[in-house]
Amino acid sequence: MADRLTGDPGGREFAAALGALLVKNGLLDEISLKRAERAQLQSGERFDLVLTRLGLVPEDRLTAALADLLSLPLVTAAAFPAIPVVDSQIELAFLKTHRILPLEMRPDRLVVALANPFDTTATDALAFLIEKPLERRLATAADIDHALERLYGAGGAKPIASEPAEPSLPVAGGEDVRRLQDLASEAPIIRLVQDLIVRAVEARASDIHLEPRVDCLRVRHRIDGVLHTVDTLALGLAPGVTSRVKILAKLDIAERRLPMDGRIKSVVRGREIDLRVSTMPTMCGESCVLRILDRSTVRHDFPGLGFDPSLLNGIGGLLAQPHGIILVTGPTGSGKTTTLYTALGSLDREACKIFTVEDPIEYQLPDINQIQVQPRIGLTFATALRSILRQDPDVIMIGEIRDLETAHIAIQASLTGHLVLSTVHTNSAAATITRLLDMGVESYLLASSITGVLAQRLVRRLCPACAKPDTASPALLERLYAESSPARLAATVRTARLRAKVGCPACRNTGYDSRSVIGELMPVTQGVRDIIHARGSDHAIAEAAMAEGMATLYQDGLSKVLAGETTFEELLRVTRLG
């Protein structure tokens, strides 16, 4: 069957067989299948490439389906060699162009991983060169690209990034829009911008920072909350790169004096990616930040996010109440919106009507009515909320409480029998109350409407592949325990499993891989409510909450340190003692 299909990979027989397999495995529905078939008829491309470019099937799952269909063994990065297998007789450019990774040189054959099982010309040429037959296996293009980079270096991987600025590339003037458009439409610039996006997605970056400097355009990725410089491009490329990003985001490329915001939809390795674009004029040129929203990597379940069981019990109790306001607070990038989405996902969406008002809508949720704020036409948080209350909702999620008007409508909704979830930018749970008081919200309204506040941060998890056991003196552990003093940490201190970061290729030598939530949940009990009503300070509110059992951010994070999930240095990076 494999030989018959590989003979005509662009034919209908292959498309029908692959489509049927994907539908059978639940990776594709009938509507998407018909859409892909129509696109293939129009483009004439191979069916698997059409599926990837439309973002209908992730690359890893499509590769597994192809391996099954073609009866080829599937290999992952874990099975790749630790050292190069071939010598210099095979050009690196050839391996990268055709995405072929030598896995093992045997006396009678060469075992290789392929991203394209239909590229018989390349495999025949390689077999002729080494004078041995090939044993073919299938792997994802991303895994092969990473392995070639790791084993054979960066030679030729990013040719445009290392080229000096060409004299013919014009530095755009303020009104030279046509030249900017021409520059951004050149094939090398298009490839470079796409390469920047693909590399960031594959590195699990949350943001791409394009920062013009006096002598270069610096490219940085924010990975697990920390910025890393990944490239420096020739300064002459900066106008073209920025203009290309603006064109993709449908922004005015002639305007370079004002900040602008836009959005890009892209497909990377078969996954649909949303990018929120922000530009800002600086002394050296326009700084551009692209925030990556990859829906396939976001987990909307509390245990997967790293919430402590005691926090989960408290959050569950708040969500079970029929009305009131639940606030999530923390700095930008601390996972507040993901927590709210997870909370909405835990509710019975069949039995209740849920509305959200967001700016922007980051993830589309089934069975939930989501509204995008559009201030230009007068659809603000406040105006949307007024209309929502006439839609008979049970639960309302507000992306952020930014002003007094929105706060008053949220309070009104909670006092009339609705459960309201929202976010506020503050440093702690107690400070959220004083922030709302400073906005002008009456203390008696706050005391009667807010049921709980969750403050959260994200700490980096230690890499499971390279973290090693760490030793700490009993005196140090006792000091940590004395500084935090939560009763639930006593057993953890006695059985501490401290670990230290090391660094390996799997974690890009950082020692950390992915992030986990730490939080402090402040239920508004009667004692806390009395202090709010009296307009007490955030310190007084926090003291009252801790007296009734609230663990602080530091205390929750310390439990993860003692359990070996992260390090004490990482905890101090995102929070403070006590």
Side-chain angles (χ1 to χ4, degrees):
M1 182 178 184
D3 292 339
R4 184 161 51 89
L5 287 173
T6 54
D8 186 16
R12 291 192 175 185
E13 182 184 5
F14 170 71
L18 179 58
L21 179 62
L22 293 171
V23 171
K24 176 184 175 182
N25 293 341
L27 299 175
L28 201 64
D29 56 43
E30 292 291 345
I31 296 176
S32 299
L33 177 60
K34 296 298 183 184
R35 174 188 169 195
E37 289 173 344
R38 289 194 299 269
Q40 185 196 25
L41 288 176
Q42 294 175 359
S43 66
E45 288 187 301
R46 273 193 355 240
F47 190 59
D48 57 315
L49 296 180
V50 171
L51 291 169
T52 302
R53 290 175 183 174
L54 289 178
L56 297 176
V57 183
E59 183 190 39
D60 55 347
R61 296 191 177 187
L62 183 60
T63 302
L66 276 175
D68 184 15
L69 183 65
L70 302 178
S71 300
L72 287 174
L74 180 69
V75 292
T76 64
F80 289 173
I83 58 175
V85 171
V86 298
D87 55 25
S88 57
Q89 65 176 323
I90 302 177
E91 291 286 341
L92 176 59
F94 174 84
L95 297 177
K96 289 189 173 184
T97 299
H98 297 282
R99 288 195 167 110
I100 300 175
L101 176 68
L103 298 178
E104 182 183 358
M105 181 69 80
R106 297 179 181 175
D108 58 337
R109 62 191 183 278
L110 174 65
V111 183
V112 296
L114 308 169
N116 180 6
F118 307 106
D119 191 358
T120 56
T121 301
T123 53
D124 289 346
L126 181 57
F128 177 79
L129 178 64
I130 65 171
E131 299 180 343
K132 289 182 181 181
L134 301 184
E135 180 179 321
R136 302 185 307 158
R137 297 177 184 177
L138 212 56
T140 66
D143 284 347
I144 291 177
D145 288 343
H146 291 158
L148 290 172
E149 192 83 9
R150 172 174 60 86
L151 294 171
Y152 301 100
K158 304 184 293 295
I160 188 169
S162 58
E163 290 177 358
E166 299 179 11
S168 60
L169 291 179
V171 179
E175 62 281 332
D176 198 356
V177 180
R178 183 177 297 278
R179 296 174 72 190
L180 273 176
Q181 289 174 331
D182 292 342
L183 184 61
S185 300
E186 291 182 359
I189 293 294
I190 294 174
R191 287 198 304 268
L192 174 56
V193 172
Q194 182 63 20
D195 179 60
L196 291 174
I197 295 173
V198 170
R199 288 169 59 199
V201 171
E202 292 179 347
R204 297 186 304 101
S206 61
D207 302 87
I208 307 170
H209 292 249
L210 305 174
E211 302 166 326
R213 292 293 178 261
V214 175
D215 56 348
C216 67
L217 176 66
R218 182 171 65 176
V219 182
R220 296 201 286 177
H221 291 168
R222 188 177 294 279
I223 302 174
D224 294 335
V226 178
L227 281 170
H228 304 269
T229 298
V230 296
D231 220 335
T232 52
L233 305 179
L235 186 61
L237 297 172
V241 170
T242 304
S243 297
R244 177 62 185 169
V245 170
K246 284 184 171 183
I247 289 172
L248 292 174
K250 298 180 174 59
L251 299 177
D252 183 4
I253 63 173
E255 179 57 74
R256 298 188 299 163
R257 303 164 299 172
L258 297 173
M260 289 186 287
D261 297 308
R263 196 163 189 165
I264 300 173
K265 285 186 177 292
S266 183
V267 176
V268 175
R269 306 296 190 192
R271 308 201 308 264
E272 288 189 354
I273 304 296
D274 282 348
L275 299 107
R276 287 162 52 184
V277 178
S278 172
T279 66
M280 177 69 68
T282 69
M283 182 180 68
C284 298
E286 284 186 284
S287 173
C288 189
V289 176
L290 294 80
R291 170 157 289 188
I292 300 170
L293 302 174
D294 184 358
R295 296 181 180 90
S296 66
T297 62
V298 177
R299 300 184 61 177
H300 288 150
D301 65 284
F302 284 118
L305 295 177
F307 278 91
D308 184 89
S310 62
L311 279 177
L312 287 182
N313 292 334
I315 294 171
L318 294 176
L319 291 173
Q321 298 187 30
H323 54 81
I325 298 177
I326 303 172
L327 296 175
V328 181
T329 184
T332 300
S334 59
K336 300 185 297 298
T337 303
T338 301
T339 296
L340 288 183
Y341 280 136
T342 305
L344 292 179
S346 68
L347 298 173
D348 186 353
R349 286 169 284 183
E350 184 67 29
C352 62
K353 187 165 186 175
I354 302 174
F355 274 93
T356 73
V357 187
E358 307 171 62
D359 184 22
I361 296 174
E362 295 191 3
Y363 303 102
Q364 296 179 7
L365 301 176
D367 305 321
I368 289 178
N369 305 285
Q370 296 176 270
I371 300 170
Q372 168 71 57
V373 170
Q374 300 184 58
R376 292 181 181 178
I377 61 173
L379 184 60
T380 63
F381 280 107
T383 55
L385 285 172
R386 289 194 191 94
S387 298
I388 284 174
L389 292 177
R390 294 191 288 270
Q391 290 280 315
D392 188 29
D394 297 292
V395 180
I396 303 171
M397 192 268 271
I398 307 169
E400 182 184 351
I401 293 179
R402 300 176 177 175
D403 51 46
L404 180 59
E405 185 180 14
T406 304
H408 272 151
I409 297 175
I411 291 171
Q412 176 190 349
S414 71
L415 294 177
T416 53
H418 304 90
L419 182 63
V420 179
L421 285 68
S422 189
T423 69
V424 181
H425 283 81
T426 57
N427 290 324
S428 67
T432 304
I433 303 298
T434 55
R435 171 78 179 96
L436 292 172
L437 290 172
D438 291 341
M439 278 187 188
V441 179
E442 294 83 353
S443 60
Y444 70 91
L445 289 177
L446 280 181
S448 58
S449 61
I450 293 183
T451 56
V453 182
L454 171 68
Q456 67 177 59
R457 300 288 190 278
L458 296 176
V459 295
R460 291 180 293 175
R461 287 187 173 111
L462 283 164
C463 175
C466 64
K468 66 178 183 180
D470 195 14
T471 57
S473 65
L476 173 60
L477 294 178
E478 289 300 326
R479 182 173 68 83
L480 296 177
Y481 174 67
E483 288 171 345
S484 61
S485 191
R488 65 187 179 89
L489 284 179
T492 312
V493 170
R494 289 194 298 270
T495 60
R497 300 188 305 273
L498 296 179
R499 294 196 299 164
K501 67 174 184 176
V502 178
C504 67
C507 62
R508 303 168 303 280
N509 294 313
T510 63
Y512 298 100
D513 181 52
S514 77
R515 290 189 288 179
S516 178
V517 170
I518 61 172
E520 62 180 28
L521 180 64
M522 185 184 76
V524 179
T525 60
Q526 187 57 50
V528 173
R529 189 172 288 114
D530 291 341
I531 297 177
I532 295 174
H533 196 279
R535 301 184 65 89
S537 66
D538 55 350
H539 178 73
I541 295 171
E543 288 289 334
M546 286 189 287
E548 298 189 26
M550 181 187 79
T552 65
L553 283 166
Y554 171 78
Q555 292 166 356
D556 187 43
L558 184 58
S559 68
K560 293 185 183 294
V561 173
L562 297 174
E565 294 183 38
T566 188
T567 63
F568 189 59
E569 293 77 16
E570 174 66 9
L571 175 61
L572 294 182
R573 185 182 68 85
V574 300
T575 187
R576 62 184 181 183
L577 293 175

